[in-house]
Amino acid sequence: MSELEKQPAPTPYTSAEITEPTEPGVLQHPQLRLLRPLPPRPIDRAWKICVSGGIGSGKSTLVRALGDCGAEVFDADAVLRRATAPGGVALPALRQAFGSGVFTRCHPSGDLDTVTVRHPDIDRASETKAKPGDGTGTDTDSDTLDRAALAALIFANPGAKARLEGILHPLLWQDFDRVVAGLPPEAILVAEIPLVTETGNAGRFDIIIMVDAPHETRIKRLATGRGMNETSARERIAAQATREDRAAIAHVWVENTGNAAELSTVAKQLWDAMVKT
């Protein structure tokens, strides 16, 4: 267990404290709140910054903007995509845990019939899902994960969700530790970790930046950006950590009620504050 993981959990904050004025001279932007002082920079390794928040809050946009400012970006989605792509290291364990039903089916020719599907909790990118066989010959299992089937399974089954996390998260953190070890001490590493609150991994980071927005704003973003209907969007939001739970572990709160250009301005001020710490 690392030194950070041995530290006691941070003191929780109430919902009222989320909107308290920030400390003067630290973060002077209406969309920023400082919930606890930023810790000093480590001298022997890169600074580890987590950006988190609920679905549709704007986490990815903030991470990209911080990358433009000079941060090293850890792409957790890319790590998990590689691990679950054909030939990925996670596939044998996923097949053992969930069976062949979460893999696509091949026709005897070896070809996959595909349609485009999307699911925000498994992968933001469009993926492929095999259509039923055409009845000619015998279909066989492919090496391609049916992400929509797996997403539906874990959303309805907390036990299955825990098994999935038990397979994927160790791979993610192994890669994260490798990246940190390869960076110079003066680097600032920013990682987007959507479920850092739910999974209890805040202790892996020096700073937690939490991005939030009103529910209605997030629902509109999910509809326009991902084609999600209102019912599905509300279900996804309700299934995630509460505002109070996120505030309990956050150093910085970003109220992302504006557009991408405004969030870029927020990122620049955050970056300046971190560089000067």
Side-chain angles (χ1 to χ4, degrees):
M1 182 177 292
S2 71
E3 181 180 348
L4 279 174
E5 290 174 303
K6 293 178 183 176
Q7 293 180 356
T11 302
Y13 287 81
T14 66
S15 58
E17 288 175 299
I18 298 173
T19 56
E20 285 291 313
T22 190
E23 182 178 335
V26 178
L27 297 174
Q28 294 298 317
H29 191 286
Q31 291 176 246
L32 286 172
R33 296 290 182 270
L34 187 69
L35 298 189
R36 60 169 58 83
L38 300 183
R41 291 278 297 270
I43 60 174
D44 59 346
R45 60 160 174 79
W47 217 5
K48 299 184 291 186
I49 314 296
C50 171
V51 174
S52 191
I55 186 172
S57 61
K59 304 179 296 296
S60 299
T61 304
L62 181 64
V63 168
R64 286 193 296 270
L66 288 170
D68 291 340
C69 291
E72 300 285 344
V73 174
F74 177 76
D75 192 339
D77 277 347
V79 173
L80 296 179
R81 281 196 297 271
R82 288 195 300 269
T84 57
V89 295
L91 295 189
L94 291 175
R95 190 182 296 276
Q96 182 176 6
F98 302 108
S100 298
V102 297
F103 287 82
T104 57
R105 304 285 287 176
C106 284
H107 295 314
S109 64
D111 295 332
L112 284 172
D113 285 336
T114 61
V115 294
T116 299
V117 299
R118 295 175 69 88
H119 193 285
D121 293 340
I122 297 299
D123 199 326
R124 293 188 184 87
S126 296
E127 297 293 344
T128 57
K129 177 183 178 183
K131 297 177 182 177
D134 60 5
T136 59
T138 302
D139 291 351
T140 59
D141 293 335
S142 79
D143 195 30
T144 300
L145 187 66
D146 184 341
R147 298 173 188 267
L150 181 57
L153 175 64
I154 67 168
F155 185 73
N157 187 331
K161 181 175 181 290
R163 290 198 301 275
L164 177 66
E165 291 173 350
I167 294 168
L168 296 183
H169 289 183
L171 299 174
L172 175 68
W173 296 122
Q174 180 181 359
D175 204 71
F176 178 78
D177 290 341
R178 178 189 60 78
V179 170
V180 172
L183 291 174
E186 63 271 17
I188 297 178
L189 178 66
V190 174
E192 179 185 347
I193 309 293
L195 302 181
V196 72
T197 306
E198 292 87 340
T199 58
N201 282 296
R204 294 179 180 272
F205 296 91
D206 302 307
I207 293 176
I208 305 293
I209 298 172
M210 203 64 69
V211 187
D212 193 43
H215 282 192
E216 296 306 317
T217 300
R218 293 162 63 187
I219 290 167
K220 289 179 181 178
R221 289 173 182 164
L222 293 171
T224 57
R226 305 193 194 181
M228 192 180 298
N229 63 51
E230 181 177 344
T231 299
S232 295
R234 292 188 184 279
E235 287 176 349
R236 301 299 174 192
I237 291 172
Q240 294 183 334
T242 66
R243 203 167 183 254
E244 289 74 19
D245 289 339
R246 293 193 176 103
I249 66 168
H251 291 84
V252 177
W253 191 269
V254 179
E255 195 68 22
N256 181 26
T257 54
N259 54 34
E262 292 171 322
L263 196 57
S264 180
T265 300
V266 170
K268 291 175 182 176
Q269 185 167 135
L270 269 174
W271 181 255
D272 289 343
M274 291 189 291
V275 168
K276 294 175 183 176
T277 299

